[in-house]
Amino acid sequence: MLYQSTRSKNLAATGPEAILRGIAPDGGLYMIPDFSAVRLNRKELLELDTIPMASRILQALLPDFTPAEMDELTEKAYRGKFETEDLTPLVQVGDRYILELFRGPTSAFKDVALSMLPQLMTASRAKTGMKDEIVILTATSGDTGKAALEGFHDVPGIRILVFFPNNGVSAVQKAQMVTQTGGNVCVTAINGNFDDAQTGVKKTFAAAAENPETLRGVALSSANSINIGRLAPQVVYYFKSYADLVREKKIRCGDPVTFVVPTGNFGDILAGYFAKMLGLPVKKLICASNENKVLTDFLNEGVYDRMRPFYKTTSPSMDILVSSNLERLLYMVSGCDSALVGNLMASLNETGRYQISAAMLQKIQAEFGAGFCDDQKTAATIAAVWKEYGYLMDTHTAVAWAVSEDYKRQNPAEPVIVLSTASPFKFPHAVLQAIGETPAVDEFDCLTQLSEVSGLPVPKNLAGLKTAPVLHDRVIEKEELVEYALKKAGEAQW
Ligand SMILES: *Cc1c(COP(=O)(O)O)cnc(C)c1O
């Protein structure tokens, strides 16, 4: 099976090539052109435990790997690494279900994919006979950096370079990154904001491509959700949560289920659409946004317009105005019309907006719903669910829960699963405030405070942070990033 660029038919790649490249040479994203060609036994799948289920699904999406190879990779990625062996537990809360995606090594939902990506990259390197060492370049606003560091540390043949805005991440997030161990990791703060870090990283890629001689024997790559190797592992928990409902006799196999997804870059929810294309009975996928509701407007009106004010909210991982993975959805609903997708993306680049046809919008609306929720309602939702059900959720999850209310009111009999993307302990300040407590000044003290108030334990990976030794204290100017990144990437040893 070959993957194709969303922007041009002739740029095909095998799964391993797509994983190593990340993005297609024309700037498009790698996609499966025909889901009906993917072979997957759904009945059998639903009876498996999570890790073997992951292996089966990933092998179907990346058939260059044999079942035995994929079994080994999924075992290495997941066994013993999460709080529970089923990786992503499903819990009932009132008349809905919450799919907890944050039980991984850094308490972020990105762990699900970033535990697997390093395994897929290493194996892809071997399969394609790649001799070059891979250097992963990551700009982060907080969560991705730590999850990527945790996934890639001490992986042979790969090194990882993370840049974060020195004053733009929380104290806990910063501590998570600067205490990272491993001989192949380098974490650097920049005097600048997240966009400066992101721009610097993009410029580094461009500089390396322009002048291949500067980095002999090194290939730069990326770990964000444009990489198909990061998207594919996310398909698994849609099947897994459905299987849980069948196993617990909450639904019968074949009954449709609706998922509500807190959305930023559209990766998580798109994986749900992949699951549906692979035969999972999904009624609707509901896209939940915070005040940066560019996707709500798009899904309601068919116009994508990023030229609007940007809000900093209490759900920062969803503060995004350009959702990269939407490009893949456009490709799917246009019948793999790469010329059309290329034009829409060019329009987004040049004018900041694009509009799709009424026919395309209708197709999308048949599959997706949308809603949004501001900070005030987010906080009220955390408080209400805590009070009513004794379940404590983080701000991102609360956005999705709030959006699920309307849907549930209109469809009371339908099973609804709300995806939970972060532990409340990752955003202790906002969560404490929401439930009417006065948060401690020091964010580390907020962790203990939240634990005392809620009776829940602080996740192990966060508990030891305050006293863990700082291993990375380098701060650079944003203007230095490109030169610094190229120099670091070229060094034989860190
Ligand atoms: C990354 C992230 C999201 C958004 O996921 P996308 O795949 O980008 O839509 C939501 N919540 C949290 C906590 C995240 O870290």
Side-chain angles (χ1 to χ4, degrees), residues 109-110 143 234 262-268 317-318 396 421-422 427:
F109 113 90
K110 291 181 172 65
D143 277 5
Q234 297 187 239
T263 299
N265 225 348
F266 212 75
D268 197 0
S317 299
M318 294 153 71
H396 303 75
T421 48
F427 302 93

Side-chain angles (χ1 to χ4, degrees), residues 288-346:
S289 301
N290 61 26
E291 242 177 313
N292 296 297
K293 60 180 184 63
V294 62
L295 287 167
T296 317
D297 294 343
F298 172 71
L299 293 169
N300 287 332
E301 291 151 27
V303 177
Y304 195 97
D305 187 355
R306 72 170 167 84
M307 306 308 279
R308 58 175 70 211
F310 174 83
Y311 300 103
K312 274 183 92 105
T313 73
T314 54
S315 44
S317 299
M318 294 153 71
D319 291 346
I320 287 181
L321 290 180
V322 179
S323 293
S324 323
N325 275 296
L326 195 59
E327 179 170 349
R328 287 190 162 108
L329 178 66
L330 299 173
Y331 181 78
M332 290 166 90
V333 295
S334 68
C336 308
D337 188 340
S338 44
L340 175 81
V341 174
N343 285 336
L344 293 176
M345 291 304 119

Side-chain angles (χ1 to χ4, degrees), residues 27 49 68 81 163 179 192 196 229 322 373 391 438:
D49 288 340
K81 302 275 177 70
F163 295 97
T179 59
D196 297 325
V322 179
C373 162
Y391 186 88
T438 309

Side-chain angles (χ1 to χ4, degrees), residues 306 341-355:
R306 72 170 167 84
V341 174
N343 285 336
L344 293 176
M345 291 304 119
S347 166
L348 181 64
N349 234 339
E350 287 152 21
T351 68
R353 75 193 287 282
Y354 62 80
Q355 178 161 15

Side-chain angles (χ1 to χ4, degrees), residues 39-176:
R39 298 156 64 102
L40 195 63
N41 182 337
R42 172 159 59 93
K43 260 265 156 60
E44 184 189 87
L45 194 68
L46 291 180
E47 279 154 26
L48 297 173
D49 288 340
T50 311
I51 296 175
M53 187 188 282
S55 175
R56 228 45 83 75
I57 292 171
L58 285 166
Q59 199 269 326
L61 292 172
L62 299 162
D64 289 272
F65 296 97
T66 66
E69 284 171 335
M70 200 55 91
D71 281 348
E72 193 187 325
L73 296 178
T74 48
E75 282 290 326
K76 271 197 197 152
Y78 293 127
R79 187 70 69 194
K81 302 275 177 70
F82 280 56
E83 281 178 44
T84 63
E85 284 301 273
D86 72 343
L87 310 184
T88 52
L90 187 74
V91 294
Q92 183 160 6
V93 178
D95 59 1
R96 271 155 273 182
Y97 302 92
I98 291 190
L99 176 54
E100 296 186 339
L101 302 176
F102 57 82
R103 301 286 182 188
T106 78
S107 301
F109 113 90
K110 291 181 172 65
D111 287 329
V112 178
L114 283 166
S115 299
M116 193 65 215
L117 183 61
Q119 302 299 333
L120 291 173
M121 265 195 187
T122 306
S124 297
R125 209 166 150 255
K127 215 167 251 308
T128 58
M130 185 186 203
K131 293 281 185 301
D132 286 356
E133 188 182 31
I134 296 174
V135 173
I136 307 279
L137 280 186
T138 310
T140 183
S141 57
D143 277 5
T144 302
K146 177 59 187 182
L149 286 164
E150 190 60 39
F152 282 103
H153 79 90
D154 297 321
V155 173
I158 304 182
R159 285 184 288 156
I160 174 164
L161 199 45
V162 170
F163 295 97
F164 71 89
N166 201 18
N167 296 315
V169 301
S170 76
V172 169
Q173 285 175 321
K174 182 170 177 171
Q176 278 189 300

